[in-house]
Amino acid sequence: MFLNVQTQQKIKEYQEKLKAIGALSKLFSESDKPYIQYRAAENIFCDVFGAENLARADGAYDAVIDNCGIGIKTFVLSGASKIEKIAEFNSDSSMLRTLRGRDLANKLADLRNERILLADRAYNIDKRVYHILGRDKGVIKIFEDNYELIDKESIEIISDTAVTLKFKDAFNEYTFNHSKSVLMKRFIVPDNCQTVEVEILNDPLALLINATTNPSVQIENINTYIEPTNQIAQNELTPGEDYIILPLYSAKRKASGHSDIVPEKSQLNQWNAGGRARDFGEVYIPIPTDIKHVAPDFLPPRETPFTLVIPSGEELSAKVCQANDKALMTNPNNALSDWMLRDILNLEQGELLTYDKLIEIGYDSVKITKAPDNKFYIDFTKLDEYETFLETIS
């Protein structure tokens, strides 16, 4: 487990920061259970332990450190265990509604496992853990749980009703809500969890007013602080200014109802185009006309090199290319294909990318986030996110 290899000094610092934020609970809630907003939990964890915050991404992990993928969860406890959401399958809901019992459990295992394995490949993960902040009366209970793939071979159905499917494997118990297309997992509070007592302040606002008006209190002014854009959560970013979404398919074909929306001879299958001998690495990510209308100055001008940071932290040289600025390419060109098609999507040389493959992994677009240092971060985004982005910015 992650906490087992941390120093007592770091753990004490972590607990003190959680106590401090928990003391302010009455700013948000009248409950006697400390309120820790999930973004605060992620930020404190990453700040204390030096983990990379993956708030910008829409993947299986909230943070990564030393090749360890970490899912950070904070929820109210009401006993020795709690069932909490771990994944949504809204884009697969039509297909999932046709399945029941063991067939549904197997399909959920396939979808869930592929998302985890894709994130493992993207961030070079070789170990995983859930890090939990369970909030109970006057205390925060810190514990960790294994973050395993669903073991299809050992799946047993517990119950199957019109509302939920409950099943378990050799490691965990799961509940799937049919109407919400949400998969949940039972987290069990271990006897040896760390318990942090929290004194909730009756008037936290008075404390903050004193801190912000007392000149003897040194507080970093927000005007002097620049948060790295790549660590800001999605809902804090301005679409078109801080980030854009690029589809990994032809937006034009999709809008016209075409059945085969990933072109077989262009874009990420450009290597398959006719006319001359082509390298298997000859590919590009399409930049639709709509993106150039809503965010014309987001990317550097055509043929101007810029740094594109992939999820593992490796930096690629990229630029906008081709007529009408329609292509995002890397230099060398095969750096993009090696990362996206080989390492992440597991496609062989000469194997076409299809939309079915993108549905299988649960992602069909990429988010390009601009950082203050003029680097651009690229992350996979969930199905239909490109269309959602256009609706948001229009």
Side-chain angles (χ1 to χ4, degrees), residues 309-327:
V309 185
I310 63 176
S312 65
E314 182 182 355
E315 296 184 354
L316 308 181
S317 177
K319 58 184 178 181
V320 175
C321 300
Q322 298 196 21
N324 299 317
D325 301 345
K326 70 175 186 181

mmCIF file of all heavy atoms in Angstrom, residues 309-327:
data_model
loop_
_atom_site.group_PDB
_atom_site.id
_atom_site.type_symbol
_atom_site.label_atom_id
_atom_site.label_comp_id
_atom_site.label_asym_id
_atom_site.label_seq_id
_atom_site.Cartn_x
_atom_site.Cartn_y
_atom_site.Cartn_z
ATOM 1 N N VAL A 309 2.956 17.328 -24.461
ATOM 2 C CA VAL A 309 3.311 16.426 -23.359
ATOM 3 C C VAL A 309 2.274 15.310 -23.270
ATOM 4 O O VAL A 309 1.082 15.574 -23.065
ATOM 5 C CB VAL A 309 3.388 17.185 -22.021
ATOM 6 C CG1 VAL A 309 3.882 16.252 -20.917
ATOM 7 C CG2 VAL A 309 4.298 18.399 -22.145
ATOM 8 N N ILE A 310 2.723 14.066 -23.432
ATOM 9 C CA ILE A 310 1.795 12.932 -23.333
ATOM 10 C C ILE A 310 1.664 12.523 -21.863
ATOM 11 O O ILE A 310 2.461 12.954 -21.012
ATOM 12 C CB ILE A 310 2.258 11.760 -24.216
ATOM 13 C CG1 ILE A 310 3.618 11.219 -23.745
ATOM 14 C CG2 ILE A 310 2.329 12.186 -25.678
ATOM 15 C CD1 ILE A 310 4.079 9.987 -24.534
ATOM 16 N N PRO A 311 0.653 11.738 -21.501
ATOM 17 C CA PRO A 311 0.382 11.445 -20.081
ATOM 18 C C PRO A 311 1.565 10.884 -19.293
ATOM 19 O O PRO A 311 1.671 11.130 -18.083
ATOM 20 C CB PRO A 311 -0.752 10.419 -20.164
ATOM 21 C CG PRO A 311 -1.480 10.789 -21.406
ATOM 22 C CD PRO A 311 -0.410 11.195 -22.381
ATOM 23 N N SER A 312 2.471 10.166 -19.927
ATOM 24 C CA SER A 312 3.620 9.620 -19.196
ATOM 25 C C SER A 312 4.626 10.693 -18.834
ATOM 26 O O SER A 312 5.561 10.436 -18.073
ATOM 27 C CB SER A 312 4.303 8.547 -20.058
ATOM 28 O OG SER A 312 4.860 9.136 -21.224
ATOM 29 N N GLY A 313 4.461 11.919 -19.375
ATOM 30 C CA GLY A 313 5.398 13.004 -19.121
ATOM 31 C C GLY A 313 6.392 13.213 -20.252
ATOM 32 O O GLY A 313 7.104 14.219 -20.274
ATOM 33 N N GLU A 314 6.450 12.288 -21.190
ATOM 34 C CA GLU A 314 7.363 12.426 -22.326
ATOM 35 C C GLU A 314 6.913 13.599 -23.194
ATOM 36 O O GLU A 314 5.717 13.810 -23.404
ATOM 37 C CB GLU A 314 7.370 11.140 -23.158
ATOM 38 C CG GLU A 314 8.340 11.174 -24.329
ATOM 39 C CD GLU A 314 8.298 9.903 -25.171
ATOM 40 O OE1 GLU A 314 7.566 8.964 -24.758
ATOM 41 O OE2 GLU A 314 8.945 9.871 -26.213
ATOM 42 N N GLU A 315 7.876 14.352 -23.680
ATOM 43 C CA GLU A 315 7.575 15.524 -24.499
ATOM 44 C C GLU A 315 7.837 15.215 -25.968
ATOM 45 O O GLU A 315 8.916 14.745 -26.327
ATOM 46 C CB GLU A 315 8.416 16.718 -24.046
ATOM 47 C CG GLU A 315 8.096 17.155 -22.611
ATOM 48 C CD GLU A 315 8.865 18.401 -22.192
ATOM 49 O OE1 GLU A 315 9.730 18.859 -22.974
ATOM 50 O OE2 GLU A 315 8.591 18.907 -21.081
ATOM 51 N N LEU A 316 6.826 15.503 -26.816
ATOM 52 C CA LEU A 316 6.943 15.315 -28.256
ATOM 53 C C LEU A 316 6.961 16.684 -28.921
ATOM 54 O O LEU A 316 6.368 17.634 -28.420
ATOM 55 C CB LEU A 316 5.761 14.500 -28.795
ATOM 56 C CG LEU A 316 5.438 13.170 -28.105
ATOM 57 C CD1 LEU A 316 4.251 12.499 -28.800
ATOM 58 C CD2 LEU A 316 6.641 12.249 -28.084
ATOM 59 N N SER A 317 7.644 16.769 -30.066
ATOM 60 C CA SER A 317 7.606 17.984 -30.863
ATOM 61 C C SER A 317 6.430 17.882 -31.825
ATOM 62 O O SER A 317 6.303 16.894 -32.558
ATOM 63 C CB SER A 317 8.915 18.149 -31.653
ATOM 64 O OG SER A 317 8.841 19.303 -32.479
ATOM 65 N N ALA A 318 5.550 18.886 -31.808
ATOM 66 C CA ALA A 318 4.338 18.817 -32.626
ATOM 67 C C ALA A 318 4.152 20.131 -33.374
ATOM 68 O O ALA A 318 4.785 21.138 -33.071
ATOM 69 C CB ALA A 318 3.132 18.534 -31.743
ATOM 70 N N LYS A 319 3.269 20.111 -34.361
ATOM 71 C CA LYS A 319 2.908 21.339 -35.076
ATOM 72 C C LYS A 319 1.631 21.110 -35.868
ATOM 73 O O LYS A 319 1.229 19.970 -36.119
ATOM 74 C CB LYS A 319 4.035 21.778 -36.014
ATOM 75 C CG LYS A 319 4.428 20.758 -37.054
ATOM 76 C CD LYS A 319 5.627 21.258 -37.860
ATOM 77 C CE LYS A 319 6.071 20.211 -38.877
ATOM 78 N NZ LYS A 319 7.254 20.651 -39.653
ATOM 79 N N VAL A 320 1.008 22.235 -36.251
ATOM 80 C CA VAL A 320 -0.174 22.199 -37.110
ATOM 81 C C VAL A 320 0.310 22.156 -38.554
ATOM 82 O O VAL A 320 1.201 22.926 -38.937
ATOM 83 C CB VAL A 320 -1.055 23.440 -36.877
ATOM 84 C CG1 VAL A 320 -2.228 23.464 -37.862
ATOM 85 C CG2 VAL A 320 -1.559 23.464 -35.437
ATOM 86 N N CYS A 321 -0.269 21.252 -39.349
ATOM 87 C CA CYS A 321 0.214 21.043 -40.713
ATOM 88 C C CYS A 321 -0.948 20.936 -41.695
ATOM 89 O O CYS A 321 -2.120 20.940 -41.300
ATOM 90 C CB CYS A 321 1.040 19.747 -40.801
ATOM 91 S SG CYS A 321 2.494 19.720 -39.740
ATOM 92 N N GLN A 322 -0.583 20.826 -42.957
ATOM 93 C CA GLN A 322 -1.457 20.543 -44.093
ATOM 94 C C GLN A 322 -2.403 21.715 -44.415
ATOM 95 O O GLN A 322 -2.546 22.669 -43.661
ATOM 96 C CB GLN A 322 -2.247 19.247 -43.871
ATOM 97 C CG GLN A 322 -1.346 18.014 -43.735
ATOM 98 C CD GLN A 322 -2.105 16.725 -43.892
ATOM 99 O OE1 GLN A 322 -3.188 16.673 -44.459
ATOM 100 N NE2 GLN A 322 -1.519 15.635 -43.388
ATOM 101 N N ALA A 323 -3.012 21.617 -45.595
ATOM 102 C CA ALA A 323 -3.893 22.670 -46.092
ATOM 103 C C ALA A 323 -5.029 22.928 -45.116
ATOM 104 O O ALA A 323 -5.548 21.992 -44.487
ATOM 105 C CB ALA A 323 -4.455 22.256 -47.454
ATOM 106 N N ASN A 324 -5.397 24.179 -44.952
ATOM 107 C CA ASN A 324 -6.476 24.599 -44.058
ATOM 108 C C ASN A 324 -6.194 24.264 -42.591
ATOM 109 O O ASN A 324 -7.115 24.170 -41.778
ATOM 110 C CB ASN A 324 -7.805 23.968 -44.482
ATOM 111 C CG ASN A 324 -8.213 24.372 -45.880
ATOM 112 O OD1 ASN A 324 -8.096 25.530 -46.249
ATOM 113 N ND2 ASN A 324 -8.656 23.406 -46.680
ATOM 114 N N ASP A 325 -4.903 24.069 -42.282
ATOM 115 C CA ASP A 325 -4.493 23.786 -40.884
ATOM 116 C C ASP A 325 -5.304 22.621 -40.303
ATOM 117 O O ASP A 325 -5.769 22.686 -39.156
ATOM 118 C CB ASP A 325 -4.686 25.018 -40.009
ATOM 119 C CG ASP A 325 -3.882 26.205 -40.510
ATOM 120 O OD1 ASP A 325 -2.973 25.986 -41.343
ATOM 121 O OD2 ASP A 325 -4.160 27.342 -40.082
ATOM 122 N N LYS A 326 -5.469 21.575 -41.059
ATOM 123 C CA LYS A 326 -6.390 20.511 -40.660
ATOM 124 C C LYS A 326 -5.759 19.383 -39.861
ATOM 125 O O LYS A 326 -6.476 18.470 -39.426
ATOM 126 C CB LYS A 326 -7.044 19.900 -41.897
ATOM 127 C CG LYS A 326 -6.098 19.070 -42.775
ATOM 128 C CD LYS A 326 -6.847 18.411 -43.913
ATOM 129 C CE LYS A 326 -5.960 17.478 -44.709
ATOM 130 N NZ LYS A 326 -6.674 16.845 -45.835
ATOM 131 N N ALA A 327 -4.414 19.434 -39.652
ATOM 132 C CA ALA A 327 -3.759 18.277 -39.053
ATOM 133 C C ALA A 327 -2.854 18.665 -37.899
ATOM 134 O O ALA A 327 -2.088 19.628 -37.991
ATOM 135 C CB ALA A 327 -2.950 17.541 -40.121
#
